[in-house]
CSV table of all heavy atoms in Angstrom, one decimal:
chain,number,residue,atom,x,y,z
A,1,PHE,N,83.0,-122.9,-11.2
A,1,PHE,CA,81.7,-122.3,-11.5
A,1,PHE,C,81.7,-120.9,-11.1
A,1,PHE,O,82.1,-120.6,-9.9
A,1,PHE,CB,80.5,-123.1,-10.9
A,1,PHE,CG,80.3,-124.4,-11.6
A,1,PHE,CD1,80.9,-125.6,-11.2
A,1,PHE,CD2,79.4,-124.5,-12.7
A,1,PHE,CE1,80.7,-126.8,-11.9
A,1,PHE,CE2,79.1,-125.7,-13.3
A,1,PHE,CZ,79.8,-126.8,-12.9
A,2,VAL,N,81.2,-120.0,-11.9
A,2,VAL,CA,81.0,-118.6,-11.6
A,2,VAL,C,79.5,-118.3,-11.9
A,2,VAL,O,79.1,-118.4,-13.1
A,2,VAL,CB,82.0,-117.7,-12.4
A,2,VAL,CG1,81.7,-116.2,-12.1
A,2,VAL,CG2,83.4,-118.1,-12.0
A,3,ASP,N,78.8,-117.9,-10.9
A,3,ASP,CA,77.3,-117.6,-11.1
A,3,ASP,C,76.7,-118.8,-11.8
A,3,ASP,O,75.9,-118.6,-12.7
A,3,ASP,CB,77.1,-116.3,-11.9
A,3,ASP,CG,77.6,-115.1,-11.2
A,3,ASP,OD1,77.6,-115.1,-9.9
A,3,ASP,OD2,78.1,-114.2,-11.8
A,4,ARG,N,77.0,-120.0,-11.3
A,4,ARG,CA,76.4,-121.2,-11.8
A,4,ARG,C,76.7,-121.6,-13.2
A,4,ARG,O,76.1,-122.5,-13.9
A,4,ARG,CB,74.9,-121.2,-11.7
A,4,ARG,CG,74.4,-121.1,-10.2
A,4,ARG,CD,72.9,-121.2,-10.2
A,4,ARG,NE,72.4,-121.0,-8.8
A,4,ARG,CZ,71.2,-120.9,-8.5
A,4,ARG,NH1,70.3,-121.1,-9.4
A,4,ARG,NH2,70.9,-120.7,-7.2
A,5,ARG,N,77.7,-120.9,-13.8
A,5,ARG,CA,78.2,-121.2,-15.1
A,5,ARG,C,79.6,-121.8,-15.1
A,5,ARG,O,80.4,-121.3,-14.3
A,5,ARG,CB,78.2,-119.9,-16.0
A,5,ARG,CG,76.8,-119.3,-16.1
A,5,ARG,CD,76.8,-118.1,-16.9
A,5,ARG,NE,77.0,-118.4,-18.3
A,5,ARG,CZ,77.4,-117.5,-19.2
A,5,ARG,NH1,77.5,-116.2,-18.9
A,5,ARG,NH2,77.6,-117.8,-20.4
A,6,PRO,N,79.9,-122.8,-15.9
A,6,PRO,CA,81.2,-123.3,-15.8
A,6,PRO,C,82.3,-122.3,-16.3
A,6,PRO,O,82.0,-121.6,-17.3
A,6,PRO,CB,81.1,-124.5,-16.8
A,6,PRO,CG,79.9,-124.3,-17.6
A,6,PRO,CD,79.0,-123.4,-16.8
A,7,MET,N,83.4,-122.3,-15.7
A,7,MET,CA,84.5,-121.4,-16.0
A,7,MET,C,85.8,-122.3,-16.1
A,7,MET,O,86.1,-122.9,-15.1
A,7,MET,CB,84.7,-120.3,-15.0
A,7,MET,CG,85.9,-119.4,-15.2
A,7,MET,SD,85.9,-118.5,-16.8
A,7,MET,CE,84.8,-117.2,-16.3
A,8,THR,N,86.4,-122.3,-17.2
A,8,THR,CA,87.7,-123.0,-17.4
A,8,THR,C,88.8,-121.9,-17.6
A,8,THR,O,88.7,-121.1,-18.5
A,8,THR,CB,87.6,-123.9,-18.6
A,8,THR,OG1,86.5,-124.9,-18.4
A,8,THR,CG2,88.9,-124.7,-18.8
A,9,ARG,N,89.8,-122.0,-16.8
A,9,ARG,CA,90.9,-121.1,-16.9
A,9,ARG,C,92.2,-121.9,-17.2
A,9,ARG,O,92.4,-123.0,-16.6
A,9,ARG,CB,91.1,-120.3,-15.6
A,9,ARG,CG,90.0,-119.3,-15.4
A,9,ARG,CD,90.3,-118.5,-14.2
A,9,ARG,NE,89.2,-117.6,-13.9
A,9,ARG,CZ,88.2,-117.8,-13.1
A,9,ARG,NH1,88.1,-119.0,-12.5
A,9,ARG,NH2,87.2,-116.9,-12.9
A,10,VAL,N,93.0,-121.4,-18.0
A,10,VAL,CA,94.2,-122.1,-18.5
A,10,VAL,C,95.4,-121.3,-18.2
A,10,VAL,O,95.4,-120.1,-18.4
A,10,VAL,CB,94.2,-122.4,-20.0
A,10,VAL,CG1,95.3,-123.3,-20.4
A,10,VAL,CG2,92.8,-123.1,-20.4
A,11,THR,N,96.5,-121.9,-17.6
A,11,THR,CA,97.7,-121.3,-17.2
A,11,THR,C,98.9,-122.0,-17.8
A,11,THR,O,98.9,-123.2,-17.9
A,11,THR,CB,97.9,-121.2,-15.7
A,11,THR,OG1,96.7,-120.7,-15.1
A,11,THR,CG2,99.1,-120.4,-15.3
A,12,LEU,N,99.8,-121.3,-18.3
A,12,LEU,CA,101.1,-121.9,-18.8
A,12,LEU,C,101.9,-122.3,-17.6
A,12,LEU,O,102.1,-121.5,-16.7
A,12,LEU,CB,101.8,-120.9,-19.7
A,12,LEU,CG,103.0,-121.3,-20.6
A,12,LEU,CD1,102.5,-122.3,-21.6
A,12,LEU,CD2,103.6,-120.2,-21.2
A,13,THR,N,102.4,-123.5,-17.6
A,13,THR,CA,103.2,-124.0,-16.5
A,13,THR,C,104.7,-123.6,-16.7
A,13,THR,O,105.0,-123.2,-17.9
A,13,THR,CB,103.2,-125.6,-16.4
A,13,THR,OG1,103.7,-126.1,-17.6
A,13,THR,CG2,101.7,-126.1,-16.2
A,14,PRO,N,105.5,-123.7,-15.7
A,14,PRO,CA,106.9,-123.4,-15.9
A,14,PRO,C,107.5,-124.3,-17.0
A,14,PRO,O,108.3,-123.8,-17.8
A,14,PRO,CB,107.5,-123.6,-14.5
A,14,PRO,CG,106.4,-123.3,-13.6
A,14,PRO,CD,105.2,-123.8,-14.3
A,15,GLN,N,107.2,-125.5,-17.0
A,15,GLN,CA,107.7,-126.5,-18.0
A,15,GLN,C,107.2,-126.0,-19.4
A,15,GLN,O,107.9,-126.1,-20.4
A,15,GLN,CB,107.2,-127.9,-17.7
A,15,GLN,CG,107.6,-128.9,-18.7
A,15,GLN,CD,107.0,-130.3,-18.4
A,15,GLN,OE1,106.4,-130.5,-17.4
A,15,GLN,NE2,107.2,-131.2,-19.4
A,16,GLY,N,105.9,-125.6,-19.5
A,16,GLY,CA,105.4,-125.1,-20.8
A,16,GLY,C,106.1,-123.8,-21.2
A,16,GLY,O,106.4,-123.7,-22.4
A,17,ARG,N,106.4,-122.9,-20.3
A,17,ARG,CA,107.1,-121.7,-20.7
A,17,ARG,C,108.5,-122.0,-21.2
A,17,ARG,O,109.0,-121.5,-22.2
A,17,ARG,CB,107.2,-120.8,-19.5
A,17,ARG,CG,107.8,-119.4,-19.8
A,17,ARG,CD,107.6,-118.4,-18.7
A,17,ARG,NE,106.2,-118.1,-18.4
A,17,ARG,CZ,105.3,-117.4,-19.1
A,17,ARG,NH1,105.7,-116.8,-20.2
A,17,ARG,NH2,104.1,-117.2,-18.7
A,18,GLU,N,109.2,-123.0,-20.5
A,18,GLU,CA,110.5,-123.4,-21.0
A,18,GLU,C,110.5,-124.0,-22.4
A,18,GLU,O,111.3,-123.7,-23.2
A,18,GLU,CB,111.1,-124.4,-20.0
A,18,GLU,CG,111.6,-123.8,-18.7
A,18,GLU,CD,112.2,-124.8,-17.7
A,18,GLU,OE1,112.6,-125.9,-18.2
A,18,GLU,OE2,112.2,-124.6,-16.5
A,19,ALA,N,109.5,-124.9,-22.6
A,19,ALA,CA,109.3,-125.5,-23.9
A,19,ALA,C,109.0,-124.5,-25.0
A,19,ALA,O,109.6,-124.5,-26.1
A,19,ALA,CB,108.2,-126.5,-23.8
A,20,TRP,N,108.2,-123.5,-24.7
A,20,TRP,CA,107.9,-122.4,-25.6
A,20,TRP,C,109.1,-121.6,-26.0
A,20,TRP,O,109.4,-121.3,-27.1
A,20,TRP,CB,106.8,-121.5,-25.1
A,20,TRP,CG,106.4,-120.4,-26.0
A,20,TRP,CD1,106.6,-119.1,-25.8
A,20,TRP,CD2,105.8,-120.5,-27.3
A,20,TRP,NE1,106.1,-118.4,-26.8
A,20,TRP,CE2,105.6,-119.2,-27.8
A,20,TRP,CE3,105.3,-121.6,-28.0
A,20,TRP,CZ2,105.1,-118.9,-29.0
A,20,TRP,CZ3,104.8,-121.3,-29.3
A,20,TRP,CH2,104.6,-120.0,-29.7
A,21,ILE,N,109.9,-121.2,-25.0
A,21,ILE,CA,111.1,-120.4,-25.2
A,21,ILE,C,112.1,-121.2,-26.0
A,21,ILE,O,112.7,-120.7,-27.0
A,21,ILE,CB,111.7,-120.0,-23.9
A,21,ILE,CG1,110.8,-118.9,-23.2
A,21,ILE,CG2,113.1,-119.4,-24.1
A,21,ILE,CD1,111.2,-118.6,-21.8
A,22,ALA,N,112.2,-122.5,-25.7
A,22,ALA,CA,113.1,-123.4,-26.5
A,22,ALA,C,112.6,-123.5,-28.0
A,22,ALA,O,113.4,-123.4,-28.9
A,22,ALA,CB,113.2,-124.8,-25.9
A,23,TYR,N,111.3,-123.6,-28.2
A,23,TYR,CA,110.8,-123.7,-29.5
A,23,TYR,C,111.1,-122.4,-30.3
A,23,TYR,O,111.5,-122.5,-31.4
A,23,TYR,CB,109.3,-123.9,-29.4
A,23,TYR,CG,108.6,-123.7,-30.7
A,23,TYR,CD1,108.6,-124.8,-31.7
A,23,TYR,CD2,107.9,-122.6,-31.0
A,23,TYR,CE1,108.0,-124.6,-32.9
A,23,TYR,CE2,107.3,-122.4,-32.3
A,23,TYR,CZ,107.3,-123.4,-33.2
A,23,TYR,OH,106.7,-123.3,-34.4
A,24,LEU,N,110.9,-121.3,-29.6
A,24,LEU,CA,111.2,-120.0,-30.3
A,24,LEU,C,112.6,-119.9,-30.7
A,24,LEU,O,113.0,-119.4,-31.8
A,24,LEU,CB,110.7,-118.8,-29.4
A,24,LEU,CG,109.2,-118.7,-29.2
A,24,LEU,CD1,109.0,-117.5,-28.3
A,24,LEU,CD2,108.5,-118.5,-30.5
């Protein structure tokens, strides 16, 4: 929560980065 408002942050994991590079 930031100033009483919900905040969702998303990060690419190392596994996700590897999968993305393999996909490309």
Side-chain angles (χ1 to χ4, degrees):
F1 285 89
V2 176
D3 295 328
R4 297 184 187 178
R5 298 178 70 195
M7 173 65 78
T8 301
R9 291 185 183 92
V10 184
T11 307
L12 194 62
T13 64
Q15 180 183 351
R17 188 167 300 282
E18 287 178 22
W20 178 248
I21 291 168
Y23 170 78
L24 292 177

